[in-house]
Amino acid sequence: MELSPQDCLVLLVTAGAEPHLTDIFGWASACTHAFVGGVFPGVIIGDQTYEDGVYLLKLPAESEPVLIQPEQTGALDQLDKLRGVASGLLLVDGLSSQVETMLSAIYNDWGGQMQVFGGGCGSLDLVQRPCLFSREGIFQDAALLLPMSNPSGVGVCHGWSMEGYPLVATRTDGNTVVELNWRPAYEVYMDVISERNGGVKPEKAFFHIAKEYPFGIFREGSEVIVRDPIAHGDKGELICVGDVPENTILYVLEGSEQQLIDAANLAAKNSQRPSLGALQEVFVFDCISRYLFLEDSFQQELMALAKAFDNHESKPAPVGVLSIGEVTSVDGNGLSFFNKTTVVGSIYA
Amino acid sequence: MHNSSNPKSSIIQDISLLYELALSLGQTLDTDENIRHFLDVLWSRKALTFASVWIREGSNFQLRYARPRFLVRKTEVPNRHPLWSQLLSAPNGCLSVPTSEAGALNLQELKNEGILIFYRLKDMGFVCLQDTKRQHPYSQTELNQLVKVMDKFANALVGCQAHESLHRIQHQIQESEHRFRQVINSSRDAVVIADSSGQIQEWNHEAEQLFGYPRSFAIGKSITWLLLPEPLSQRLSESPGKLLSYMERAVKQHRRYTLTGQHQNGAQFPVEVSISSFETNHNVLFSLFLRDITERQEAESSLLHAIQEAENARLAEQQFLANMSHEIRTPMNSVIGMTHLLAKTDLNEEQKDLLGTLKFSADSLLEILNNILDLSKIEAGELEPEEKPFNLNALLQSQYKTTKLKCHNSDVDVHLVIDPHIRDYLKGDRTLLNQVLTNLLSNSVKFTHKGSITLQADCVERTKRNHTIQFSVTDTGLGIPPEKQELIFKDFKQIEDAHKGKNVGTGLGLAIVKRLLSLMGGLIALESEPGKGSTFSFTLTFPTFHTDFVLTGEPTAQPKKMDSVSLKGLRALVAEDNPLNQKLIARILSGWGVQFHLAENGKQALRLAHQHRYDFVLMDLHMPEMNGVDATAAIRNSTDNPNQNIPIIALTAAAMLDEKRAAMKAGMSDFMTKPFSPALLKRMLRNWISAGPASDEKMIPMDANPPEKIDLSYLVELSGGDKVFIGEMLQTFLGETSEMLDNLKEVENGDDHERTYQVAHKLKSSLKMIGMERAAELCLQIEEKARAEQADEIQRSNIKDLMACVQQTIPALEEELASLD
């Protein structure tokens, strides 16, 4: 790989390589180039996914990656210096309870100055561990933003649709939904699913049920924000990836394989901005839960995604990660943390 | 407001938004928290581009919260902004416009996309939103959906602000209480606050230390039981009003009290307390500031003791100096007198030489003594320059003559040069000036062995009011090297007389000159060259004494008036315990034709002053029973005393400034130091008395037999006019009169012929010396009778007459002595 002084190394560490994170960090630290990296359940290259190994790519960077931590407002001061930067690749600890806080702070102070896209790092066992790194160290409960001088376009789509009647999240605590409609959340959620299943409660394990029936947070005139319920607690609470605001309206979503595959294609199409010049790289953050939901069909999603770039002469092979949550800004309404969504960033020269 | 195609879902979504917005309020009582919760929900649920809340503060609306912050361009708009007037007239206080058409309403200069929506928050402010998803403004129906929740939002903010205001006040109260507690705890005094019943409300840390009770115990207890020992606490507790009135009185009187405090362990100690009061919630509270003054009292006691000791030491020193004056000077006078007498006898050369040495030593010793006494007086601040008329010419002439006399055996010429522009009579302190010149001239005499000494007085400036005169004493003596010129004005410093090979004198003479001149407002200057001589000079300014009267009579402050005033026929009260002084004053007053009553102490004087009317009082200060100061004060303070306002002249041997002040403070009119000159006393009395005799009341008749005149021509001849010597001789005689009278009393019946002869013989030579020829003749007659062993009536009568004669001589001698000064 040939590197120019402006290039930043991006290290995509798969779940299989996670045990060697410290060595990987040591290796990267020995390089003279800037680097940023994260642990993901899998890596996407073209229409293939990989769950082992470390994958390197280079991206044109404006400066060293910026570290953002919830308690360190100093990081936001650094962001202030980045005014005028065109794009930003954002890696965030997907299992942190502070994701919304960090995203809110970044957007509120620095806002839509640059086109940001990114996703959550972490492992599929959903146990929070240090999963982000740069020359400053290895972190959890943090975010790393790689500022890029190249312009980019972002497409975001999930393909899940609102069905049935809305529920009110009458009691939540961060990413835990304690009550729905004033009743234990798990109880209400399972009643909805039984209803949709012809009055029969599915026999499958909760994780496998939930991957088919995510929550959608309603936003007026905009795409609903998907929240994956990933576990339930002893008191009937549901634990999600990403915060659920209290008193918000939730829908139990449904999706078909085709809808999801089409959505990925749409996201890829929406990311394209021919007016920005020659397409240089396509970076994809595709939610691990889509991979788990689509299973063998996931490759079709990747192919559909790549197909969206057929009309480009360079026919760039999308690279990316299976992420724990995805990040971007939709309709100028702040940086949102999505689940079960495909975010495609098209980076132009 | 919604874009769902399903009407059922749509209404649910709308209601759920209202529900979510409503529930976002009131989670806390903090204004900013409520605004943030509300606006975050609104911004997120309606997927807005921008949302902000503006609250009225003074004459502006301030931006209280905005999301996202990076779009903020402005944080303040005036109350008179067109937006506000539009909102006031808008239906339900809300409006929506395309951003591109908003103009001044686009407060944050947001991108010209979508629409702007405004909601008025009652009178307190407004909400401003931007929705870039919409191209067309909200309809009134869409706007109305949020009107009620916006009202609720406004109410919530009013509630929060009220709460915050309350909280702020509570905080201020807490702060105030905290500060109050800090203040009273930082006080180095014990601070106790009690209500009007004496119940303790506050008790600071120092109070805990001072009385030994913790605050928790003390609060609510009675101050009397807690602070004060029996029986005071018992007394104050018997009547509840007693303590209150005590505290109120203490507040009014604004002073500190000293009480006895009691510690928890029973130990009692002096405590100083000051009390102030203040009102709170219509209750009067008393602040007691208490301080243990044990150490201070001890320190004060030590200080008083030290002051007393210092005062005793000062008095002892004064007494010592007074004693020295009398006890040493008197025998020294005898020694000097005897050397003069001895010198008149037949002496061989060796004896003459020895006698010369003896005289020199005695003179030196007396000079040393006088200098030490003078310096002590200056040091004690007891010399206060007077401003009285004096004859400068006479003073200078006298100095000249004295110096000439001292130099008559040496190769030194003495000159006196007086500027003819200088008037004879000036006002000033003759005694001090005389002493300065005496010291300077003595100094010159000491160190000049050849050449001349010149005393010169030049008029530097002469105005109607003042004479400024430069005095100089120039000699052709040893001279003083430059490096020692400063030194010689210091105490006990002197230069060596190479001629005599030793130091001469005490080294105090010039130091005294410097200090005396400083008292009179002058400075000594010295020009000197070793081997050639020295010039000491100083300049003094004297008020001119304008009167022709002085040329013919005695000077006085009110000459015209004085002229017409005669003392004859006046009535006086004389308070004097000393028999000799009584006689002296009696003689003087009789001579003036003044009738008088004599009192031997202050008490007697006071009684007489109540019974008779006088024209003036001569009051000695030191008398038994009641002193002169107290007697004077009693006369002055008694309105029924007929002599309340007459002149009272203090007569005292003590020339101490303190006494003079005390006498004046007591109401004395003037002050005359003994020994005094009758002429001066007369002038003083004339000054004070302008009216005729007080009444025709019969006074005690005086023995008008005039005493024999004394004649000092023998002494003048003997001493060559040396007043000092004459004075010393007179003092010696006076010092011996008491013994003389005792001796005469012893032989008054004449039986012991031998003893009678000895007494008369010894007395005869002394009387002859002062020119009392008639008394000396009496002595001779007594001698002869004794030798003939005749103890008849004549002998007894002669002895009695001689006693009377000696006694009558005393005042005359004292007057003479005074006139020599």
Side-chain angles (χ1 to χ4, degrees):
Chain A
M1 185 186 291
E2 280 187 23
L3 295 168
S4 70
Q6 289 78 29
D7 285 336
C8 175
L9 281 175
V10 181
L11 287 88
L12 307 174
V13 180
T14 60
E18 189 194 356
H20 309 291
L21 184 61
T22 311
D23 295 334
I24 295 163
F25 172 73
W27 176 85
S29 299
C31 297
T32 54
H33 277 73
F35 64 92
V36 63
V39 178
F40 298 95
V43 170
I44 298 165
I45 299 172
D47 57 3
Q48 297 297 311
T49 55
Y50 302 91
E51 295 174 31
D52 206 355
V54 180
Y55 297 85
L56 270 73
L57 70 150
K58 60 175 182 177
L59 286 175
E62 179 70 16
S63 71
E64 286 273 345
V66 177
L67 175 69
I68 298 129
Q69 288 174 302
E71 308 304 326
Q72 289 181 356
T73 53
L76 300 176
D77 293 340
Q78 291 183 56
L79 284 177
D80 198 46
K81 295 176 196 164
L82 302 177
R83 290 195 191 284
V85 170
S87 310
L89 179 79
L90 184 72
L91 304 185
V92 62
D93 179 352
L95 297 173
S96 168
S97 60
Q98 302 288 326
V99 172
E100 297 284 357
T101 309
M102 288 188 279
L103 297 186
S104 181
I106 292 168
Y107 185 76
N108 205 27
D109 281 305
W110 158 82
Q113 303 282 313
M114 66 172 97
Q115 185 60 262
V116 175
F117 60 95
C121 306
S123 303
L124 198 51
D125 61 9
L126 304 177
V127 177
Q128 194 185 5
R129 290 189 291 273
C131 56
L132 289 164
F133 56 95
S134 70
R135 197 173 290 284
E136 291 186 68
I138 305 174
F139 307 97
Q140 69 179 50
D141 274 327
L144 284 165
L145 179 74
L146 179 67
M148 295 183 289
S149 50
N150 299 40
S152 58
V154 177
V156 53
C157 223
H158 51 64
W160 298 90
S161 58
M162 292 192 295
E163 297 294 333
Y165 49 85
L167 304 170
V168 182
T170 47
R171 201 172 144 207
T172 69
D173 181 12
N175 64 341
T176 303
V177 182
V178 182
E179 284 178 3
L180 287 168
N181 296 350
W182 299 276
R183 288 172 54 210
Y186 175 71
E187 221 175 277
V188 176
Y189 178 71
M190 290 310 290
D191 283 353
V192 171
I193 289 164
S194 299
E195 203 176 290
R196 301 228 181 134
N197 204 29
V200 181
K201 190 177 173 182
E203 296 281 315
K204 291 185 278 189
F206 178 77
F207 185 81
H208 294 290
I209 298 167
K211 70 181 182 184
E212 294 172 17
Y213 298 102
F215 287 123
I217 301 172
F218 174 75
R219 292 196 311 169
E220 196 175 299
S222 187
E223 184 96 275
V224 292
I225 294 175
V226 183
R227 283 287 173 267
D228 262 335
I230 49 172
H232 66 97
D234 298 339
K235 292 173 185 170
E237 70 273 25
L238 294 173
I239 294 121
C240 300
V241 178
D243 286 359
V244 178
E246 195 164 80
N247 302 316
T248 198
I249 292 279
L250 291 180
Y251 285 87
V252 177
L253 307 178
E254 284 185 35
S256 66
E257 287 185 358
Q258 195 53 50
Q259 279 175 315
L260 265 64
I261 291 166
D262 290 347
N265 179 263
L266 186 61
K269 281 181 176 164
N270 286 345
S271 73
Q272 294 175 35
R273 305 279 190 280
S275 61
L276 295 178
L279 187 64
Q280 192 171 329
E281 297 284 349
V282 174
F283 203 104
V284 178
F285 288 90
D286 212 350
C287 192
I288 180 64
S289 57
R290 292 173 76 89
Y291 172 77
L292 296 175
F293 176 75
L294 290 171
E295 295 178 338
D296 293 340
S297 305
F298 187 69
Q299 193 180 21
Q300 289 178 39
E301 174 163 298
L302 295 182
M303 287 165 68
L305 199 150
K307 199 169 187 293
F309 296 97
D310 276 351
N311 56 346
H312 284 265
E313 284 181 20
S314 56
K315 289 192 175 34
V319 292
V321 290
L322 297 174
S323 55
I324 298 184
E326 300 72 44
V327 177
T328 194
S329 171
V330 180
D331 300 327
N333 186 240
L335 285 175
S336 298
F337 188 60
F338 302 95
N339 293 163
K340 271 193 165 62
T341 301
T342 304
V343 169
V344 180
S346 294
I347 303 165
Y348 291 85
Chain B
M1 186 163 177
H2 56 85
N3 62 354
S4 173
S5 55
N6 183 345
K8 194 176 170 185
S9 283
S10 172
I11 193 69
I12 290 172
Q13 284 159 6
D14 289 347
I15 290 169
S16 75
L17 171 63
L18 296 176
Y19 171 81
E20 198 171 341
L21 285 170
L23 285 184
S24 72
L25 295 171
Q27 291 179 25
T28 76
L29 286 169
D30 181 274
T31 306
D32 289 325
E33 283 281 291
N34 273 287
I35 292 174
R36 193 169 59 76
H37 288 158
F38 185 83
L39 215 67
D40 281 355
V41 170
L42 192 63
W43 181 75
S44 172
R45 276 294 303 272
K46 290 188 74 66
L48 297 169
T49 307
F50 182 71
S52 58
V53 171
W54 301 72
I55 301 294
R56 187 198 295 273
E57 278 177 30
S59 57
N60 292 318
F61 290 108
Q62 299 283 342
L63 178 70
R64 283 295 284 263
Y65 183 65
R67 185 163 185 174
R69 205 155 42 221
F70 72 90
L71 289 177
V72 172
R73 299 284 177 273
K74 203 179 275 185
T75 57
E76 190 175 276
V77 293
N79 285 347
R80 292 180 182 173
H81 194 276
L83 168 64
W84 186 245
S85 51
Q86 287 192 40
L87 278 174
L88 285 173
S89 58
N92 292 328
C94 51
L95 59 94
S96 171
V97 290
T99 311
S100 55
E101 296 168 19
L105 304 193
N106 187 355
L107 303 175
Q108 300 294 2
E109 298 160 21
L110 298 166
K111 270 189 188 173
N112 280 337
E113 293 173 3
I115 56 163
L116 292 178
I117 309 119
F118 298 94
Y119 284 94
R120 181 156 66 89
L121 296 174
K122 302 206 164 175
D123 286 331
M124 66 189 312
F126 58 91
V127 171
C128 168
L129 313 169
Q130 187 188 32
D131 187 345
T132 52
K133 303 186 301 294
R134 287 285 292 256
Q135 299 306 314
H136 303 291
Y138 283 2
S139 66
Q140 191 62 44
T141 310
E142 285 176 304
L143 288 168
N144 286 348
Q145 288 179 357
L146 287 180
V147 166
K148 284 190 178 172
V149 82
M150 287 293 177
D151 282 349
K152 183 173 159 63
F153 179 44
N155 286 337
L157 295 185
V158 170
C160 286
Q161 288 188 332
H163 168 76
E164 281 169 2
S165 175
L166 182 68
H167 185 73
R168 203 163 43 243
I169 291 166
Q170 282 175 338
H171 182 72
Q172 282 168 353
I173 291 169
Q174 280 174 353
E175 274 285 300
S176 171
E177 278 183 3
H178 178 68
R179 274 202 299 273
F180 166 72
R181 191 164 300 289
Q182 274 192 326
V183 166
I184 70 163
N185 274 334
S186 65
S187 167
R188 295 176 71 181
D189 286 341
V191 180
V192 177
I193 295 175
D195 62 15
S196 53
S197 70
Q199 200 176 54
I200 293 167
Q201 306 291 317
E202 194 50 72
W203 181 262
N204 76 344
H205 180 66
E206 279 299 313
E208 289 182 333
Q209 299 294 313
L210 191 59
F211 295 100
Y213 299 104
R215 182 173 178 274
S216 55
F217 177 83
I219 299 289
K221 301 287 188 307
S222 159
I223 51 170
T224 50
W225 285 112
L226 216 55
L227 311 187
L228 306 172
E230 293 276 12
L232 186 57
S233 60
Q234 177 70 39
R235 215 162 58 232
L236 287 170
S237 303
E238 277 167 4
S239 160
K242 216 175 227 176
L243 177 67
L244 180 61
S245 67
Y246 176 82
M247 291 199 291
E248 283 174 342
R249 199 169 60 244
V251 171
K252 271 185 198 159
Q253 290 179 347
H254 234 286
R255 50 176 279 237
R256 293 170 181 272
Y257 293 85
T258 302
L259 301 171
T260 301
Q262 182 165 288
H263 190 270
Q264 184 205 10
N265 63 16
Q268 295 187 2
F269 50 91
V271 60
E272 186 184 76
V273 57
S274 66
I275 305 178
S276 60
S277 66
F278 59 98
E279 211 167 300
T280 169
N281 294 334
H282 309 296
N283 289 323
V284 175
L285 293 178
F286 294 89
S287 309
L288 289 79
F289 299 86
L290 303 120
R291 184 181 297 178
D292 182 353
I293 55 167
T294 308
E295 282 183 13
R296 196 178 80 193
Q297 280 192 345
E298 284 170 1
E300 280 171 358
S301 170
S302 304
L303 185 63
L304 281 176
H305 187 65
I307 290 171
Q308 190 58 51
E309 281 194 342
E311 183 62 15
N312 289 344
R314 193 178 75 84
L315 290 174
E317 187 187 339
Q318 284 180 358
Q319 192 59 49
F320 169 74
L321 292 172
N323 287 346
M324 203 159 75
S325 170
H326 182 74
E327 301 296 336
I328 303 179
R329 287 175 69 168
T330 303
M332 279 308 299
N333 282 337
S334 297
V335 169
I336 290 166
M338 291 309 130
T339 54
H340 278 278
L341 290 175
L342 203 54
K344 294 287 173 186
T345 60
D346 288 334
L347 299 170
N348 61 31
E349 282 309 308
E350 190 186 357
Q351 285 169 328
K352 279 182 184 170
D353 189 42
L354 290 171
L355 193 62
T357 310
L358 175 64
K359 185 176 181 304
F360 177 79
S361 301
D363 285 343
S364 302
L365 191 55
L366 195 63
E367 186 193 328
I368 290 168
L369 193 62
N370 287 337
N371 278 341
I372 291 173
L373 282 169
D374 288 342
L375 193 66
S376 304
K377 273 190 173 180
I378 299 170
E379 287 290 319
E382 285 160 2
L383 277 184
E384 193 176 69
E386 292 181 326
E387 197 173 280
K388 287 185 172 172
F390 73 99
N391 187 329
L392 177 64
N393 197 304
L395 186 149
L396 294 170
Q397 292 287 353
S398 170
Q399 284 290 349
Y400 163 68
K401 283 176 191 167
T402 308
T403 311
K404 197 166 181 181
L405 196 69
K406 285 179 183 170
C407 296
H408 78 280
N409 281 335
S410 68
D411 296 334
V412 179
D413 293 328
V414 181
H415 306 288
L416 172 65
V417 182
I418 303 177
D419 188 333
H421 295 102
I422 298 175
R423 291 178 69 128
D424 286 349
Y425 281 90
L426 298 169
K427 279 163 84 178
D429 196 314
R430 179 194 177 282
T431 312
L432 297 189
L433 176 62
N434 194 47
Q435 187 163 359
V436 167
L437 292 171
T438 302
N439 286 14
L440 289 176
L441 288 164
S442 297
N443 203 52
S444 287
V445 170
K446 258 182 229 167
F447 296 102
T448 308
H449 309 298
K450 204 176 167 185
S452 65
I453 295 171
T454 305
L455 169 61
Q456 191 163 340
D458 293 305
C459 187
V460 178
E461 192 182 8
R462 181 178 163 175
T463 64
K464 272 189 178 178
R465 291 186 172 183
N466 293 318
H467 266 60
T468 301
I469 298 168
Q470 187 184 52
F471 298 87
S472 60
V473 174
T474 306
D475 65 49
T476 56
L478 295 174
I480 302 153
E483 69 274 12
K484 291 192 176 170
Q485 289 185 6
E486 278 289 317
L487 197 68
I488 57 165
F489 293 104
K490 293 191 175 3
D491 298 348
F492 303 105
K493 297 288 179 190
Q494 51 193 162
I495 61 164
E496 191 176 83
D497 183 351
H499 187 74
K500 293 183 180 172
K502 59 178 181 179
N503 294 335
V504 181
T506 55
L508 284 171
L510 291 175
I512 291 169
V513 164
K514 190 177 175 186
R515 291 181 199 202
L516 289 177
L517 281 174
S518 166
L519 281 178
M520 291 190 283
L523 272 177
I524 185 81
L526 168 62
E527 285 176 41
S528 187
E529 201 174 325
K532 289 193 175 175
S534 310
T535 298
F536 289 88
S537 60
F538 58 91
T539 304
L540 291 173
T541 298
F542 302 95
T544 312
F545 186 65
H546 297 280
T547 177
D548 295 332
F549 174 80
V550 293
L551 299 175
T552 53
E554 299 115 324
T556 170
Q558 294 167 288
K560 284 180 184 169
K561 200 172 176 185
M562 293 308 114
D563 257 347
S564 62
V565 176
S566 164
L567 300 180
K568 195 171 179 183
L570 294 181
R571 290 153 203 281
L573 171 61
V574 177
E576 169 65 69
D577 65 321
N578 184 305
L580 288 177
N581 285 335
Q582 285 174 0
K583 286 188 186 304
L584 174 67
I585 295 166
R587 181 180 170 277
I588 293 168
L589 292 180
S590 299
W592 294 340
V594 173
Q595 291 184 308
F596 62 93
H597 284 145
L598 196 62
E600 291 190 338
N601 57 52
K603 234 177 202 175
Q604 212 177 338
L606 194 57
R607 198 179 63 242
L608 284 166
H610 267 288
Q611 293 167 352
H612 307 281
R613 189 161 172 219
Y614 302 103
D615 294 297
F616 64 92
V617 180
L618 298 180
M619 182 78 78
D620 185 27
L621 293 186
H622 297 284
M623 292 184 290
E625 302 266 342
M626 181 188 276
N627 65 36
V629 174
D630 292 346
T632 301
I635 293 169
R636 293 292 190 221
N637 294 332
S638 168
T639 49
D640 60 348
N641 193 311
N643 300 299
Q644 191 188 11
N645 298 315
I646 63 164
I648 301 177
I649 311 294
L651 295 178
T652 178
M656 299 299 181
L657 206 56
D658 288 353
E659 288 199 331
K660 187 172 177 178
R661 288 193 187 117
M664 292 306 182
K665 200 177 170 190
M668 286 184 164
S669 313
D670 217 328
F671 196 89
M672 181 66 71
T673 308
K674 288 189 285 188
F676 57 86
S677 147
L680 278 177
L681 178 61
K682 193 174 188 180
R683 277 202 293 274
M684 186 179 282
L685 287 170
R686 279 180 159 175
N687 258 334
W688 285 103
I689 297 152
S690 55
S695 74
D696 294 322
E697 195 179 333
K698 187 170 168 47
M699 304 297 284
I700 298 166
M702 284 303 301
D703 178 2
N705 282 342
E708 185 185 3
K709 277 195 174 175
I710 56 169
D711 179 0
L712 301 181
S713 55
Y714 171 75
L715 283 176
V716 172
E717 189 191 350
L718 180 71
S719 65
D722 185 345
K723 286 184 179 180
V724 175
F725 172 75
I726 296 167
E728 284 161 357
M729 291 309 292
L730 295 182
Q731 275 183 342
T732 308
F733 182 88
L734 281 169
E736 288 171 351
T737 49
S738 171
E739 190 186 343
M740 288 177 201
L741 289 169
D742 285 349
N743 291 342
L744 285 172
K745 183 90 181 160
E746 193 186 312
V747 297
E748 69 181 340
N749 57 12
D751 291 348
D752 188 343
H753 303 298
E754 193 181 341
R755 178 77 183 130
T756 305
Y757 175 83
Q758 284 173 351
V759 169
H761 181 74
K762 188 182 172 190
L763 195 54
K764 186 180 68 183
S765 61
S766 296
L767 290 169
K768 271 191 167 178
M769 196 171 66
I770 58 168
M772 293 180 68
E773 290 300 333
R774 194 164 62 99
E777 184 61 30
L778 271 176
C779 287
L780 187 65
Q781 286 174 21
I782 294 164
E783 258 183 46
E784 284 171 357
K785 283 266 182 190
R787 209 183 286 166
E789 297 187 343
Q790 291 176 351
D792 54 11
E793 265 312 301
I794 299 169
Q795 179 73 323
R796 280 192 285 277
S797 172
N798 282 343
I799 293 172
K800 205 174 174 185
D801 284 351
L802 182 60
M803 283 170 70
C805 197
V806 171
Q807 215 149 28
Q808 285 170 1
T809 308
I810 294 168
L813 279 173
E814 283 176 335
E815 188 176 353
E816 197 64 49
L817 193 59
S819 71
L820 286 174
D821 281 345

